[in-house]
Amino acid sequence: MSRTPPSAPAATPGEKPPHRQSRLGLVALILAVLALPAALSLVLGIIVAVIVLIVGLVALIRATRVREISTGQPVVAVVVAIAALILASVVTSAANDRVQDCGARTYDDARECLQGDN
């Protein structure tokens, strides 16, 4: 007596296929979360945020082209990367304004200005 496993129920014509999570989307999301603390670094924050934004956009484009891949993680990654980019830009701009207000002309003067209470 052979026992056959039950087959999966047939999808109805209007039913969407099940979505799977993209590894690239997960990587983009993890990098986006890590980009937020990196955004507090001066120029490095902008560089990291741009790289994460590119990875997130690639994951999102891939997810929109392949119907079986969910777009949830890539969308969140792109939004968080944009927030990190904005935060990094504000931090870098504020540091630049502070250095200009101090009148620093050399790297050492700028570092002293940012660390001190000038």
Side-chain angles (χ1 to χ4, degrees), residues 31 33-46 48-49 84 87-88 91:
L31 290 176
V33 169
L34 294 175
L36 286 173
L40 299 176
S41 172
L42 291 181
V43 177
L44 180 68
I46 293 175
V48 169
L87 179 62
V91 168

Side-chain angles (χ1 to χ4, degrees), residues 35-41 46 81-93:
L36 286 173
L40 299 176
S41 172
I46 293 175
I82 290 171
L85 184 61
I86 291 170
L87 179 62
S89 298
V90 168
V91 168
T92 301
S93 176

